[in-house]
Coordinates of all heavy atoms in Angstrom, one line a residue:
M1 N -46.5 -46.4 90.4 CA -45.7 -47.2 91.3 C -46.4 -48.6 91.5 O -45.7 -49.6 91.6 CB -45.4 -46.5 92.6 CG -44.5 -47.2 93.5 SD -42.9 -47.4 92.7 CE -41.9 -47.8 94.1
G2 N -47.7 -48.6 91.6 CA -48.5 -49.8 91.8 C -48.2 -50.9 90.8 O -48.1 -52.0 91.1
Y3 N -48.1 -50.4 89.5 CA -47.9 -51.4 88.4 C -46.5 -51.9 88.4 O -46.2 -53.0 87.9 CB -48.3 -50.8 87.1 CG -49.8 -50.7 87.0 CD1 -50.5 -49.5 87.2 CD2 -50.6 -51.8 86.7 CE1 -51.9 -49.4 87.1 CE2 -52.0 -51.8 86.6 CZ -52.6 -50.6 86.8 OH -54.0 -50.5 86.8
L4 N -45.6 -51.1 88.9 CA -44.2 -51.6 89.1 C -44.1 -52.7 90.1 O -43.4 -53.7 89.9 CB -43.2 -50.4 89.4 CG -41.8 -50.7 89.4 CD1 -41.3 -51.2 88.1 CD2 -41.0 -49.5 89.8
T5 N -44.7 -52.5 91.3 CA -44.7 -53.5 92.3 C -45.5 -54.8 91.8 O -45.1 -55.9 92.1 CB -45.3 -53.0 93.6 OG1 -46.6 -52.6 93.4 CG2 -44.4 -52.0 94.2
L6 N -46.5 -54.5 91.0 CA -47.3 -55.7 90.4 C -46.4 -56.5 89.5 O -46.4 -57.7 89.5 CB -48.5 -55.2 89.7 CG -49.4 -56.2 89.1 CD1 -49.9 -57.2 90.1 CD2 -50.6 -55.6 88.4
A7 N -45.6 -55.8 88.7 CA -44.6 -56.5 87.8 C -43.7 -57.3 88.6 O -43.3 -58.5 88.2 CB -43.9 -55.5 86.9
G8 N -43.2 -56.8 89.7 CA -42.3 -57.5 90.6 C -43.0 -58.7 91.2 O -42.4 -59.8 91.3
A9 N -44.3 -58.6 91.6 CA -45.0 -59.7 92.1 C -45.2 -60.8 91.1 O -45.1 -62.0 91.4 CB -46.4 -59.2 92.6
I10 N -45.5 -60.4 89.8 CA -45.6 -61.4 88.8 C -44.3 -62.1 88.5 O -44.3 -63.4 88.4 CB -46.1 -60.7 87.5 CG1 -47.5 -60.2 87.7 CG2 -46.0 -61.7 86.3 CD1 -48.0 -59.2 86.6
A11 N -43.2 -61.4 88.5 CA -41.9 -62.0 88.3 C -41.5 -63.0 89.4 O -41.0 -64.1 89.1 CB -40.8 -60.9 88.1
A12 N -41.8 -62.6 90.6 CA -41.5 -63.5 91.8 C -42.4 -64.7 91.7 O -41.9 -65.8 92.0 CB -41.7 -62.7 93.1
E13 N -43.7 -64.6 91.3 CA -44.6 -65.7 91.2 C -44.1 -66.7 90.1 O -44.2 -67.9 90.3 CB -46.0 -65.2 91.0 CG -47.1 -66.3 91.1 CD -47.4 -67.0 89.8 OE1 -47.2 -66.3 88.7 OE2 -47.8 -68.1 89.8
V14 N -43.7 -66.1 89.0 CA -43.3 -67.0 87.9 C -42.0 -67.7 88.3 O -41.8 -68.9 88.0 CB -43.1 -66.1 86.6 CG1 -42.4 -66.9 85.5 CG2 -44.5 -65.7 86.1
A15 N -41.1 -67.0 88.9 CA -39.8 -67.6 89.4 C -40.1 -68.8 90.4 O -39.5 -69.8 90.3 CB -38.9 -66.6 90.0
A16 N -41.1 -68.5 91.3 CA -41.4 -69.5 92.3 C -42.0 -70.7 91.7 O -41.7 -71.9 92.0 CB -42.3 -68.9 93.3
T17 N -42.9 -70.5 90.7 CA -43.6 -71.6 90.1 C -42.6 -72.4 89.3 O -42.7 -73.7 89.3 CB -44.8 -71.1 89.2 OG1 -45.7 -70.4 90.0 CG2 -45.5 -72.3 88.6
T18 N -41.7 -71.8 88.6 CA -40.7 -72.5 87.8 C -39.8 -73.3 88.7 O -39.4 -74.4 88.5 CB -39.9 -71.5 87.0 OG1 -40.8 -70.7 86.1 CG2 -38.8 -72.2 86.1
A19 N -39.4 -72.7 89.9 CA -38.6 -73.4 90.8 C -39.3 -74.6 91.4 O -38.6 -75.6 91.7 CB -38.2 -72.4 92.0
M20 N -40.6 -74.5 91.5 CA -41.4 -75.6 92.1 C -41.2 -76.8 91.1 O -41.2 -78.0 91.6 CB -42.8 -75.2 92.2 CG -43.6 -76.3 93.0 SD -45.4 -76.0 93.1 CE -45.5 -74.3 93.7
K21 N -41.2 -76.6 89.9 CA -41.0 -77.7 88.9 C -39.7 -78.4 89.1 O -39.6 -79.6 89.1 CB -41.1 -77.1 87.5 CG -40.9 -78.2 86.4 CD -42.0 -79.1 86.2 CE -41.8 -80.0 85.0 NZ -42.8 -81.0 84.8
Y22 N -38.6 -77.6 89.4 CA -37.3 -78.1 89.7 C -37.2 -78.7 91.1 O -36.3 -79.5 91.3 CB -36.2 -77.0 89.5 CG -36.0 -76.6 88.1 CD1 -36.4 -75.4 87.6 CD2 -35.3 -77.5 87.2 CE1 -36.2 -75.0 86.3 CE2 -35.1 -77.2 85.9 CZ -35.6 -75.9 85.4 OH -35.3 -75.6 84.1
A23 N -38.1 -78.4 92.0 CA -38.1 -78.9 93.4 C -38.4 -80.4 93.4 O -38.1 -81.0 94.5 CB -39.0 -78.1 94.2
D24 N -39.0 -80.9 92.4 CA -39.2 -82.4 92.3 C -40.0 -82.8 93.5 O -39.6 -83.7 94.3 CB -37.9 -83.2 92.2 CG -38.2 -84.6 91.7 OD1 -39.2 -84.9 91.0 OD2 -37.3 -85.5 92.1
G25 N -41.2 -82.2 93.7 CA -42.1 -82.6 94.8 C -41.5 -82.2 96.1 O -41.7 -82.8 97.2
F26 N -40.8 -81.1 96.2 CA -40.1 -80.5 97.3 C -39.1 -81.5 97.9 O -38.8 -81.4 99.1 CB -41.1 -80.1 98.4 CG -42.0 -79.0 97.9 CD1 -43.4 -79.2 97.7 CD2 -41.5 -77.7 97.7 CE1 -44.2 -78.2 97.3 CE2 -42.3 -76.7 97.2 CZ -43.7 -76.9 97.0
S27 N -38.5 -82.3 97.1 CA -37.4 -83.2 97.5 C -36.0 -82.6 97.3 O -35.1 -83.2 97.8 CB -37.5 -84.6 96.8 OG -37.3 -84.4 95.4
R28 N -35.9 -81.5 96.6 CA -34.7 -80.8 96.4 C -34.7 -79.5 97.2 O -35.6 -78.7 97.0 CB -34.4 -80.6 94.9 CG -34.4 -82.0 94.2 CD -34.2 -81.8 92.7 NE -32.9 -81.2 92.4 CZ -32.7 -80.4 91.4 NH1 -33.7 -80.2 90.5 NH2 -31.6 -79.8 91.2
L29 N -33.7 -79.3 98.1 CA -33.7 -78.2 99.0 C -33.7 -76.8 98.3 O -34.6 -76.0 98.6 CB -32.5 -78.3 99.9 CG -32.3 -77.2 100.9 CD1 -33.5 -77.1 101.9 CD2 -31.0 -77.3 101.7
W30 N -32.8 -76.5 97.5 CA -32.6 -75.1 97.0 C -33.8 -74.7 96.1 O -34.3 -73.6 96.3 CB -31.3 -74.9 96.3 CG -30.2 -75.1 97.3 CD1 -29.2 -76.0 97.3 CD2 -29.9 -74.2 98.4 NE1 -28.4 -75.8 98.4 CE2 -28.8 -74.7 99.1 CE3 -30.5 -73.0 98.9 CZ2 -28.3 -74.1 100.2 CZ3 -30.0 -72.4 100.0 CH2 -28.9 -73.0 100.7
P31 N -34.3 -75.6 95.2 CA -35.5 -75.1 94.5 C -36.7 -75.0 95.4 O -37.5 -74.1 95.1 CB -35.7 -76.2 93.4 CG -34.3 -76.9 93.3 CD -33.7 -76.8 94.6
S32 N -36.8 -75.8 96.4 CA -37.9 -75.7 97.3 C -37.8 -74.4 98.1 O -38.9 -73.7 98.3 CB -37.9 -76.9 98.3 OG -38.0 -78.1 97.6
L33 N -36.7 -74.0 98.5 CA -36.5 -72.7 99.2 C -36.8 -71.6 98.3 O -37.5 -70.6 98.7 CB -35.1 -72.6 99.8 CG -34.8 -73.5 101.0 CD1 -33.3 -73.4 101.4 CD2 -35.7 -73.2 102.2
L34 N -36.4 -71.6 97.1 CA -36.6 -70.6 96.1 C -38.1 -70.5 95.9 O -38.7 -69.4 95.7 CB -35.9 -70.8 94.8 CG -36.1 -69.8 93.7 CD1 -35.6 -68.4 94.2 CD2 -35.3 -70.2 92.5
T35 N -38.8 -71.6 95.8 CA -40.3 -71.6 95.7 C -40.9 -70.8 96.8 O -41.8 -70.0 96.6 CB -40.8 -73.0 95.6 OG1 -40.3 -73.7 94.5 CG2 -42.3 -73.1 95.5
A36 N -40.6 -71.2 98.1 CA -41.2 -70.5 99.2 C -40.9 -69.0 99.3 O -41.8 -68.2 99.5 CB -40.7 -71.2 100.5
V37 N -39.6 -68.7 99.0 CA -39.2 -67.3 99.1 C -39.9 -66.5 97.9 O -40.4 -65.4 98.1 CB -37.7 -67.1 99.0 CG1 -37.3 -65.7 98.8 CG2 -37.0 -67.7 100.3
G38 N -40.0 -67.1 96.8 CA -40.6 -66.5 95.6 C -42.1 -66.2 95.9 O -42.6 -65.1 95.6
Y39 N -42.8 -67.1 96.5 CA -44.2 -66.9 96.8 C -44.4 -65.8 97.9 O -45.3 -65.0 97.8 CB -44.9 -68.2 97.1 CG -45.3 -69.0 95.9 CD1 -44.8 -70.3 95.7 CD2 -46.1 -68.4 94.9 CE1 -45.2 -71.0 94.6 CE2 -46.4 -69.1 93.7 CZ -46.0 -70.4 93.6 OH -46.3 -71.1 92.5
I40 N -43.5 -65.8 98.9 CA -43.6 -64.8 99.9 C -43.4 -63.4 99.3 O -44.2 -62.5 99.6 CB -42.6 -65.1 101.1 CG1 -43.1 -66.4 101.8 CG2 -42.5 -63.9 102.0 CD1 -42.0 -66.9 102.8
V41 N -42.4 -63.3 98.5 CA -42.1 -62.0 97.9 C -43.2 -61.6 97.0 O -43.7 -60.4 97.0 CB -40.8 -62.1 97.1 CG1 -40.6 -60.8 96.2 CG2 -39.6 -62.2 98.0
S42 N -43.8 -62.5 96.2 CA -44.9 -62.2 95.3 C -46.1 -61.7 96.1 O -46.7 -60.7 95.7 CB -45.3 -63.5 94.5 OG -46.3 -63.2 93.7
F43 N -46.5 -62.4 97.2 CA -47.6 -62.0 98.0 C -47.4 -60.6 98.7 O -48.3 -59.8 98.7 CB -48.0 -63.0 99.0 CG -48.7 -64.2 98.3 CD1 -48.3 -65.5 98.5 CD2 -49.8 -64.0 97.5 CE1 -48.9 -66.6 97.9 CE2 -50.5 -65.1 96.9 CZ -50.0 -66.4 97.1
V44 N -46.2 -60.4 99.1 CA -45.9 -59.1 99.8 C -46.0 -58.0 98.7 O -46.6 -56.9 99.0 CB -44.5 -59.1 100.4 CG1 -44.0 -57.7 100.8 CG2 -44.5 -60.0 101.6
L45 N -45.4 -58.2 97.5 CA -45.5 -57.2 96.5 C -47.0 -57.0 96.0 O -47.4 -55.9 95.7 CB -44.6 -57.5 95.3 CG -43.1 -57.4 95.7 CD1 -42.3 -57.9 94.5 CD2 -42.7 -56.0 96.0
L46 N -47.7 -58.1 95.9 CA -49.1 -58.0 95.5 C -49.9 -57.2 96.5 O -50.7 -56.3 96.2 CB -49.7 -59.4 95.3 CG -51.2 -59.4 94.8 CD1 -51.4 -58.7 93.5 CD2 -51.7 -60.8 94.7
A47 N -49.7 -57.4 97.8 CA -50.3 -56.7 98.9 C -50.0 -55.2 98.8 O -50.9 -54.3 99.0 CB -49.9 -57.2 100.2
E48 N -48.7 -54.9 98.5 CA -48.3 -53.5 98.3 C -49.0 -52.9 97.1 O -49.5 -51.7 97.2 CB -46.8 -53.4 98.2 CG -46.2 -52.1 98.2 CD -46.4 -51.3 99.5 OE1 -46.5 -52.0 100.5 OE2 -46.4 -50.1 99.4
T49 N -49.2 -53.6 96.1 CA -49.8 -53.2 94.9 C -51.3 -52.8 95.2 O -51.8 -51.8 94.6 CB -49.8 -54.3 93.8 OG1 -48.5 -54.6 93.4 CG2 -50.6 -53.8 92.6
L50 N -51.9 -53.5 96.0 CA -53.3 -53.3 96.3 C -53.6 -52.0 97.1 O -54.7 -51.5 97.2 CB -53.9 -54.4 97.1 CG -54.0 -55.8 96.4 CD1 -54.5 -56.9 97.3 CD2 -54.7 -55.7 95.1
K51 N -52.5 -51.3 97.5 CA -52.7 -50.0 98.1 C -53.1 -48.9 97.1 O -53.7 -47.9 97.4 CB -51.4 -49.5 98.8 CG -51.1 -50.4 100.0 CD -49.8 -49.9 100.7 CE -49.4 -50.7 101.9 NZ -48.2 -50.3 102.5
T52 N -52.7 -49.2 95.8 CA -52.9 -48.2 94.8 C -53.7 -48.7 93.5 O -54.1 -47.9 92.7 CB -51.6 -47.5 94.3 OG1 -50.8 -48.6 93.8 CG2 -50.9 -46.8 95.4
V53 N -53.8 -50.0 93.4 CA -54.5 -50.6 92.2 C -55.7 -51.4 92.7 O -55.5 -52.1 93.8 CB -53.5 -51.5 91.4 CG1 -54.2 -52.1 90.2 CG2 -52.3 -50.7 91.0
S54 N -56.8 -51.3 92.0 CA -58.0 -52.1 92.5 C -57.7 -53.6 92.5 O -56.9 -54.1 91.7 CB -59.2 -51.7 91.6 OG -59.0 -52.3 90.3
I55 N -58.4 -54.2 93.4 CA -58.1 -55.7 93.6 C -58.5 -56.5 92.4 O -57.7 -57.4 92.0 CB -58.8 -56.2 94.9 CG1 -58.4 -57.6 95.2 CG2 -60.3 -56.1 94.7 CD1 -58.8 -58.1 96.6
G56 N -59.6 -56.1 91.7 CA -59.9 -56.9 90.5 C -58.9 -56.8 89.4 O -58.6 -57.7 88.8
T57 N -58.5 -55.6 89.2 CA -57.5 -55.3 88.1 C -56.2 -56.0 88.5 O -55.6 -56.6 87.7 CB -57.3 -53.8 87.9 OG1 -58.6 -53.2 87.5 CG2 -56.3 -53.5 86.9
A58 N -55.7 -55.7 89.7 CA -54.4 -56.3 90.1 C -54.4 -57.8 90.1 O -53.5 -58.4 89.5 CB -54.1 -55.8 91.5
Y59 N -55.4 -58.4 90.6 CA -55.5 -59.9 90.6 C -55.6 -60.5 89.2 O -55.0 -61.5 88.9 CB -56.6 -60.4 91.5 CG -56.4 -61.9 91.7 CD1 -55.4 -62.4 92.5 CD2 -57.3 -62.8 91.0 CE1 -55.3 -63.8 92.7 CE2 -57.1 -64.1 91.2 CZ -56.2 -64.7 92.0 OH -56.0 -66.0 92.2
A60 N -56.4 -59.8 88.4 CA -56.5 -60.3 87.0 C -55.2 -60.2 86.3 O -54.8 -61.2 85.6 CB -57.6 -59.5 86.2
I61 N -54.5 -59.1 86.4 CA -53.2 -59.0 85.8 C -52.2 -60.0 86.3 O -51.5 -60.7 85.6 CB -52.7 -57.6 85.8 CG1 -53.6 -56.6 85.0 CG2 -51.2 -57.5 85.3 CD1 -53.3 -55.2 85.3
W62 N -52.1 -60.1 87.7 CA -51.2 -61.0 88.4 C -51.4 -62.4 87.9 O -50.5 -63.1 87.5 CB -51.3 -60.8 89.9 CG -50.4 -61.6 90.7 CD1 -49.1 -61.4 91.0 CD2 -50.8 -62.8 91.4 NE1 -48.6 -62.4 91.8 CE2 -49.6 -63.3 92.1 CE3 -52.0 -63.5 91.6 CZ2 -49.6 -64.4 92.9 CZ3 -52.0 -64.7 92.4 CH2 -50.8 -65.1 93.0
S63 N -52.6 -62.9 88.0 CA -52.9 -64.3 87.7 C -52.8 -64.5 86.2 O -52.3 -65.6 85.8 CB -54.2 -64.7 88.3 OG -55.3 -64.0 87.7
G64 N -53.4 -63.6 85.4 CA -53.4 -63.8 83.9 C -52.0 -63.8 83.3 O -51.6 -64.7 82.6
V65 N -51.2 -62.8 83.6 CA -49.9 -62.7 83.1 C -49.0 -63.8 83.6 O -48.2 -64.4 82.9 CB -49.2 -61.3 83.4 CG1 -47.8 -61.3 82.9 CG2 -50.0 -60.2 82.6
G66 N -49.2 -64.1 84.9 CA -48.4 -65.3 85.5 C -48.7 -66.6 84.8 O -47.8 -67.4 84.4
T67 N -50.0 -66.8 84.6 CA -50.4 -68.1 83.9 C -49.9 -68.2 82.5 O -49.4 -69.2 82.1 CB -52.0 -68.2 83.9 OG1 -52.4 -68.2 85.2 CG2 -52.4 -69.4 83.2
A68 N -50.0 -67.1 81.7 CA -49.5 -67.0 80.4 C -48.0 -67.2 80.3 O -47.5 -68.0 79.5 CB -49.9 -65.7 79.7
A69 N -47.3 -66.6 81.2 CA -45.8 -66.7 81.3 C -45.4 -68.1 81.6 O -44.5 -68.7 81.0 CB -45.2 -65.7 82.3
I70 N -46.1 -68.8 82.6 CA -45.8 -70.1 82.9 C -46.0 -71.1 81.8 O -45.3 -72.0 81.5 CB -46.5 -70.6 84.2 CG1 -45.9 -69.8 85.4 CG2 -46.5 -72.1 84.4 CD1 -44.4 -70.2 85.7
A71 N -47.1 -70.8 81.0 CA -47.4 -71.7 79.9 C -46.3 -71.6 78.9 O -45.8 -72.6 78.3 CB -48.7 -71.3 79.3
V72 N -45.8 -70.4 78.6 CA -44.7 -70.2 77.7 C -43.4 -70.8 78.2 O -42.6 -71.5 77.5 CB -44.5 -68.7 77.4 CG1 -43.2 -68.5 76.6 CG2 -45.7 -68.1 76.6
L73 N -43.1 -70.6 79.5 CA -41.9 -71.2 80.1 C -42.0 -72.8 80.1 O -40.9 -73.4 79.9 CB -41.7 -70.7 81.5 CG -41.2 -69.3 81.6 CD1 -41.1 -68.9 83.1 CD2 -39.8 -69.2 80.9
G74 N -43.2 -73.3 80.3 CA -43.3 -74.8 80.2 C -42.9 -75.3 78.8 O -42.3 -76.3 78.6
L75 N -43.3 -74.5 77.8 CA -42.9 -74.9 76.4 C -41.4 -74.7 76.2 O -40.8 -75.7 75.7 CB -43.7 -73.9 75.4 CG -43.3 -74.0 74.0 CD1 -43.8 -75.3 73.4 CD2 -43.9 -72.8 73.2
L76 N -40.8 -73.6 76.6 CA -39.4 -73.4 76.4 C -38.5 -74.2 77.2 O -37.4 -74.7 76.7 CB -39.1 -71.9 76.6 CG -39.9 -70.9 75.6 CD1 -39.6 -69.5 76.0 CD2 -39.5 -71.2 74.2
L77 N -38.8 -74.3 78.5 CA -37.8 -75.0 79.4 C -38.1 -76.4 79.6 O -37.1 -77.2 79.9 CB -37.9 -74.3 80.8 CG -37.5 -72.8 80.9 CD1 -37.7 -72.3 82.3 CD2 -36.1 -72.6 80.5
F78 N -39.3 -76.9 79.5 CA -39.7 -78.2 79.9 C -40.2 -79.0 78.7 O -40.6 -80.2 78.9 CB -40.7 -78.2 81.0 CG -40.2 -77.5 82.2 CD1 -40.8 -76.3 82.6 CD2 -39.0 -77.9 82.9 CE1 -40.3 -75.6 83.7 CE2 -38.6 -77.2 84.0 CZ -39.2 -76.0 84.4
G79 N -40.2 -78.4 77.5 CA -40.7 -79.2 76.3 C -42.1 -79.6 76.4 O -42.5 -80.5 75.7
E80 N -42.9 -78.8 77.1 CA -44.4 -79.1 77.1 C -45.0 -78.8 75.8 O -44.5 -77.8 75.1 CB -45.0 -78.4 78.3 CG -44.5 -78.8 79.6 CD -45.1 -78.1 80.8 OE1 -45.9 -77.1 80.6 OE2 -44.8 -78.4 81.9
G81 N -46.0 -79.5 75.4 CA -46.6 -79.2 74.1 C -47.4 -77.9 74.1 O -47.9 -77.4 75.1
L82 N -47.6 -77.4 72.9 CA -48.4 -76.2 72.7 C -49.5 -76.6 71.6 O -49.2 -76.6 70.4 CB -47.5 -75.1 72.2 CG -48.2 -73.7 72.1 CD1 -48.7 -73.2 73.4 CD2 -47.3 -72.7 71.4
S83 N -50.7 -76.8 72.1 CA -51.8 -77.1 71.2 C -52.6 -75.8 70.9 O -52.4 -74.8 71.6 CB -52.7 -78.1 71.8 OG -53.3 -77.5 73.0
M84 N -53.4 -75.9 70.0 CA -54.3 -74.7 69.7 C -55.2 -74.4 70.8 O -55.5 -73.2 71.1 CB -55.1 -75.0 68.4 CG -54.3 -74.9 67.1 SD -53.3 -73.4 66.9 CE -54.6 -72.2 66.8
V85 N -55.6 -75.4 71.6 CA -56.4 -75.2 72.8 C -55.6 -74.4 73.8 O -56.2 -73.4 74.4 CB -56.9 -76.5 73.4 CG1 -57.6 -76.3 74.7 CG2 -57.8 -77.3 72.4
K86 N -54.4 -74.7 74.0 CA -53.5 -73.9 75.0 C -53.4 -72.5 74.5 O -53.4 -71.5 75.2 CB -52.2 -74.5 75.2 CG -52.2 -75.7 76.1 CD -50.8 -76.2 76.4 CE -50.7 -77.3 77.3 NZ -49.4 -77.8 77.6
V87 N -53.1 -72.3 73.2 CA -53.0 -71.0 72.6 C -54.3 -70.2 72.8 O -54.2 -69.0 73.2 CB -52.6 -71.0 71.1 CG1 -52.7 -69.7 70.5 CG2 -51.2 -71.6 70.9
A88 N -55.4 -70.8 72.5 CA -56.7 -70.1 72.7 C -56.9 -69.8 74.2 O -57.4 -68.6 74.5 CB -57.8 -71.1 72.2
G89 N -56.5 -70.6 75.1 CA -56.6 -70.3 76.5 C -55.8 -69.1 76.9 O -56.2 -68.2 77.6
I90 N -54.5 -69.1 76.4 CA -53.7 -67.9 76.7 C -54.2 -66.6 76.2 O -54.3 -65.6 76.8 CB -52.2 -68.2 76.2 CG1 -51.6 -69.3 77.0 CG2 -51.4 -66.9 76.3 CD1 -50.3 -69.9 76.4
V91 N -54.7 -66.7 74.9 CA -55.3 -65.5 74.3 C -56.6 -65.1 75.1 O -56.7 -63.9 75.3 CB -55.7 -65.8 72.8 CG1 -56.6 -64.7 72.2 CG2 -54.4 -66.0 72.0
L92 N -57.4 -66.0 75.5 CA -58.5 -65.6 76.3 C -58.2 -65.0 77.7 O -58.8 -64.1 78.1 CB -59.4 -66.9 76.6 CG -60.2 -67.3 75.3 CD1 -60.9 -68.7 75.6 CD2 -61.3 -66.3 74.9
I93 N -57.1 -65.5 78.3 CA -56.7 -64.9 79.6 C -56.2 -63.5 79.3 O -56.6 -62.6 80.1 CB -55.5 -65.8 80.2 CG1 -56.0 -67.1 80.7 CG2 -54.8 -65.0 81.3 CD1 -54.9 -68.1 81.0
I94 N -55.4 -63.3 78.3 CA -54.9 -61.9 78.1 C -56.0 -61.0 77.7 O -56.1 -59.9 78.1 CB -53.8 -62.0 77.0 CG1 -52.6 -62.7 77.5 CG2 -53.4 -60.6 76.5 CD1 -51.5 -63.1 76.5
G95 N -57.0 -61.5 76.8 CA -58.1 -60.8 76.5 C -59.0 -60.4 77.7 O -59.5 -59.3 77.8
G96 N -59.1 -61.3 78.6 CA -59.9 -61.0 79.8 C -59.3 -59.9 80.7 O -60.0 -59.0 81.2
V97 N -57.9 -59.9 80.7 CA -57.2 -58.8 81.5 C -57.5 -57.5 80.8 O -57.7 -56.5 81.4 CB -55.7 -59.2 81.6 CG1 -54.9 -58.0 82.1 CG2 -55.5 -60.4 82.5
V98 N -57.4 -57.5 79.5 CA -57.6 -56.3 78.7 C -59.0 -55.8 78.9 O -59.2 -54.6 79.1 CB -57.3 -56.5 77.2 CG1 -57.7 -55.3 76.4 CG2 -55.8 -56.8 77.0
V99 N -60.0 -56.6 78.8 CA -61.4 -56.2 79.0 C -61.6 -55.7 80.4 O -62.3 -54.7 80.5 CB -62.3 -57.4 78.7 CG1 -63.7 -57.1 79.1 CG2 -62.3 -57.8 77.2
L100 N -61.1 -56.3 81.4 CA -61.2 -55.8 82.7 C -60.6 -54.4 82.8 O -61.2 -53.5 83.5 CB -60.5 -56.7 83.7 CG -61.3 -57.8 84.4 CD1 -60.4 -58.7 85.2 CD2 -62.5 -57.2 85.2
N101 N -59.5 -54.2 82.3 CA -58.9 -52.8 82.3 C -59.7 -51.8 81.5 O -59.8 -50.7 81.9 CB -57.4 -52.9 81.8 CG -56.5 -53.4 82.9 OD1 -56.5 -52.9 84.0 ND2 -55.8 -54.5 82.6
L102 N -60.1 -52.2 80.3 CA -60.9 -51.3 79.5 C -62.3 -51.0 80.1 O -62.9 -49.9 79.9 CB -61.1 -51.8 78.1 CG -59.9 -51.9 77.2 CD1 -60.2 -52.6 75.9 CD2 -59.3 -50.5 77.0
G103 N -62.8 -52.0 80.8 CA -64.1 -51.8 81.4 C -64.1 -51.0 82.7 O -65.2 -50.8 83.3
G104 N -63.0 -50.5 83.1 CA -62.9 -49.6 84.2 C -63.0 -50.3 85.6 O -63.6 -49.9 86.5
A105 N -62.4 -51.5 85.7 CA -62.3 -52.2 87.0 C -61.4 -51.4 87.9 O -60.2 -51.6 87.9 CB -61.8 -53.6 86.8
H106 N -62.0 -50.6 88.7 CA -61.2 -49.7 89.6 C -61.3 -50.2 91.0 O -62.2 -50.5 91.7 CB -61.7 -48.3 89.6 CG -61.5 -47.7 88.2 ND1 -60.3 -47.3 87.7 CD2 -62.4 -47.4 87.3 CE1 -60.5 -46.8 86.5 NE2 -61.8 -46.9 86.2

């Protein structure tokens, strides 16, 4: 159940960060509200996750998957460039999460 709430926390964080891009410096009401609500939901779900998943593992997955997802969405939705350096960074983030999980971060 912990990993299910973690997935929800990641989805909410990614939605909030994407909405922040559309909020245009918080000058647009609805994207700004979606940003605030998304982050609140994300933190509540992350806190719930921490009842059953270790903090190191949960935070590594939450931040790593969120960062990688936002990088991909930046490419797809906003036409941001994708360099080999960005690809390497995403691979390193995902690799770090895997290593933490394999290393028994409980």
Side-chain angles (χ1 to χ4, degrees):
M1 187 62 166
Y3 288 99
L4 186 59
T5 58
L6 182 57
I10 293 166
E13 188 269 334
V14 168
T17 302
T18 303
M20 190 185 309
K21 177 74 171 174
Y22 288 108
D24 196 29
F26 297 112
S27 64
R28 298 178 62 213
L29 177 63
W30 294 112
S32 297
L33 289 175
L34 182 57
T35 298
V37 169
Y39 280 121
I40 290 168
V41 169
S42 180
F43 285 125
V44 167
L45 291 174
L46 182 59
E48 188 65 28
T49 299
L50 296 179
K51 292 179 181 178
T52 58
V53 179
S54 71
I55 191 169
T57 299
Y59 189 74
I61 294 169
W62 181 77
S63 60
V65 172
T67 300
I70 287 299
V72 171
L73 286 175
L75 173 71
L76 297 175
L77 297 178
F78 305 112
E80 296 177 357
L82 184 65
S83 66
M84 287 308 296
V85 172
K86 281 186 179 181
V87 170
I90 292 168
V91 168
L92 287 170
I93 289 167
I94 293 168
V97 169
V98 169
V99 168
L100 269 174
N101 282 305
L102 292 176
H106 297 286

